[in-house]
C-alpha cells in the first residue's frame, strides 16, 4: 500500500560491539526522531538514544550522560547503562522509566493532575543547591551557543512558534541580545522542560528525561517551556493554574517571553 513501510524496509537499531555484548537480546522499537537529530529506541527494559556527531548540536549525548550521573539520587532520572562513541555517532543506553509522558493523551485526560505534578517536579528540581551543580546554562553560555548556531545556518526557522513565523534566526538573535534581562534568577534547571520529558505514573513523576541541556540557569528557562506546553495542550486556564501552583511570586512574565524566544534557536 502506498505510504506504508514494510518490515524489511523499517529502520533497525545497530549497536556498537561493546553495547551489543553488554545488553541482553531484545526487540527494539523505534520511538521517535527528536528535534536534536537523535533517534530513540526502546525495549521492555532499556532505552537507546543515537545521535549523529555533528557541529553546533544543541546538546550531545555525552553531556546527557554526565548529567544523568549527577542527577542520580537527587531527582528521579533513568539509570545510566552504557555509552559509546563511534566516528559517526554517539550511543547512550538508559533504563526505561515506567509510565507515560505528560504529553500522552491518557495523561492529558487529567489536566489538574498534570499541572500539579509538573509544578511540583519543577519546584523540587529548582530547589537543588546550585553550589553542587557542575553544569552551567546561563545566558553567558547559551547566547554564544545560539549565535554559533545562527551563523552556522542550523536553526530551523520553519519550526518557529506561530507568532514568529516568517522571521529570520538573525532577527531573533538580535532581539535576544537587545532585550537580555539584567539579572538571572539562577537555579538548577532541566533546560528542556516540555511535557514529553516528564514521565508520570498515577500520582507520581517517575522520571525526568532528555537532560542534555540541564544546568544552572534562570528558572524561567523551564517555566517558559512548561507554561507554553500546558497552554498549547490544555488551554489558558490550566497554564495559569500551573504558574499559581509553582508560585506566582517567582514568575516574571517578561522572562517567560524572553526564554520562549531563546528556545527558537535550539
Amino acid at each position: 500500500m502506498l505510504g506504508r513501510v514494510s518490515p524489511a524496509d523499517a529502520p533497525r537499531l545497530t549497536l556498537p560491539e561493546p553495547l551489543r555484548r553488554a545488553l541482553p537480546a531484545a526487540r527494539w522499537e523505534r520511538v521517535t526522531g527528536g528535534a536534536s537529530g537523535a533517534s530513540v529506541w526502546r525495549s521492555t527494559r532499556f532505552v537507546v538514544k543515537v545521535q549523529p556527531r555533528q557541529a553546533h548540536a544543541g546538546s550531545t549525548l555525552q553531556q546527557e550522560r554526565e548529567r544523568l550521573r549527577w542527577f542520580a539520587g537527587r531527582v528521579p532520572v533513568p539509570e545510566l547503562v552504557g555509552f559509546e562513541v563511534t566516528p559517526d555517532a554517539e550511543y547512550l543506553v538508559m533504563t526505561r522509566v515506567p509510565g507515560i509522558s505528560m504529553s500522552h493523551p491518557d495523561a492529558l485526560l487529567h489536566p489538574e493532575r498534570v499541572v500539579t505534578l509538573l509544578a511540583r517536579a519543577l519546584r523540587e528540581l529548582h530547589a537543588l543547591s546550585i553550589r553542587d551543580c557542575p553544569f552551567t546554562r546561563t545566558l553567558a553560555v547559551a547566547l554564544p551557543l545560539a549565535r554559533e548556531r545562527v551563523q552556522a545556518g542550523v536553526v530551523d526557522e520553519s519550526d518557529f512558534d506561530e507568532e514568529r513565523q516568517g522571521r529570520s534566526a538573525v532577527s531573533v538573535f538580535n532581539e535576544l541580545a537587545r532585550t537580555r534581562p539584567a539579572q538571572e534568577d539562577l537555579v538548577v534547571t532541566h533546560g528542556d522542560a516540555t511535557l514529553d520529558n516528564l514521565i508520570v505514573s498515577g500520582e507520581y513523576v517517575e522520571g525526568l528525561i532528555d537532560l542534555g541541556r540541564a544546568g544552572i540557569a534562570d528558572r524561567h528557562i523551564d517555566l517558559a517551556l512548561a507554561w507554553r506546553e500546558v497552554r498549547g495542550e490544555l488551554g489558558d486556564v490550566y497554564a495559569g493554574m500551573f504558574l499559581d501552583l509553582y508560585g506566582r511570586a517567582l514568575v516574571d512574565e517578561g522572562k517567560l517571553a524572553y526564554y520562549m524566544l531563546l528556545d527558537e534557536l535550539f
Side-chain angles (χ1 to χ4, degrees):
M1 182 183 297
L2 184 63
R4 294 194 61 180
V5 179
S6 72
D9 295 330
R12 299 185 180 211
L13 175 62
T14 303
L15 292 169
E17 182 60 29
L19 293 181
R20 284 203 301 273
R21 291 198 304 267
L23 290 173
R27 189 185 191 99
W28 295 101
E29 169 195 11
R30 186 168 186 178
V31 180
T32 183
S36 65
S39 55
V40 181
W41 304 73
R42 69 186 178 194
S43 68
T44 55
R45 294 173 55 197
F46 301 104
V47 172
V48 177
K49 295 179 73 172
V50 185
Q51 182 165 307
R53 298 182 70 184
Q54 54 192 347
H56 310 295
S59 64
T60 66
L61 296 187
Q62 181 173 347
Q63 291 171 335
E64 186 167 353
R65 174 189 66 164
E66 293 166 353
R67 285 154 175 79
L68 284 173
R69 285 174 168 168
W70 187 80
F71 278 111
R74 290 180 167 91
V75 293
V77 296
E79 180 182 343
L80 177 64
V81 176
F83 176 77
E84 292 291 332
V85 179
T86 70
D88 299 319
E90 298 175 288
Y91 297 78
L92 180 67
V93 186
M94 303 157 283
T95 54
R96 182 172 173 177
V97 178
I100 58 177
S101 73
M102 282 190 175
S103 62
H104 191 283
D106 290 348
L108 295 175
L109 289 173
H110 307 280
E112 290 191 14
R113 181 190 300 169
V114 166
V115 295
T116 298
L117 293 179
L118 178 60
R120 183 190 305 164
L122 292 183
R123 284 294 295 259
E124 291 176 358
L125 175 63
H126 294 170
L128 295 177
S129 171
I130 62 174
R131 292 191 300 273
D132 299 332
C133 182
F135 312 111
T136 303
R137 195 78 179 194
T138 60
L139 292 176
V141 173
L143 287 177
L145 288 174
R147 183 193 299 115
E148 290 176 9
R149 289 174 54 80
V150 171
Q151 291 174 340
V154 297
V155 175
D156 184 0
E157 296 168 345
S158 69
D159 193 43
F160 284 175
D161 291 344
E162 183 177 352
E163 60 267 33
R164 283 179 281 275
Q165 283 293 314
R167 289 187 59 176
S168 69
V170 170
S171 77
V172 168
F173 179 80
N174 288 342
E175 182 178 347
L176 288 167
R178 187 176 65 253
T179 61
R180 178 175 178 168
Q183 294 182 324
E184 293 173 78
D185 183 5
L186 298 179
V187 297
V188 177
T189 65
H190 182 289
D192 191 17
T194 63
L195 298 181
D196 284 341
N197 291 337
L198 286 90
I199 307 300
V200 295
S201 179
E203 300 295 330
Y204 299 95
V205 174
E206 297 288 349
L208 310 180
I209 63 172
D210 288 349
L211 290 158
R213 287 163 32 183
I216 298 170
D218 191 303
R219 71 177 74 242
H220 291 80
I221 201 168
D222 285 345
L223 294 179
L225 300 193
W227 176 78
R228 181 183 65 188
E229 290 260 313
V230 173
R231 184 180 61 168
E233 294 288 351
L234 299 173
D236 289 338
V237 170
Y238 288 104
M241 185 183 298
F242 160 68
L243 295 180
D244 290 339
L245 290 166
Y246 181 87
R248 284 275 184 177
L250 297 169
V251 178
D252 179 329
E253 293 194 6
K255 283 187 175 181
L256 293 179
Y258 184 87
Y259 283 96
M260 284 189 287
L261 186 69
L262 177 63
D263 186 61
E264 300 285 32
L265 302 184
F266 292 92

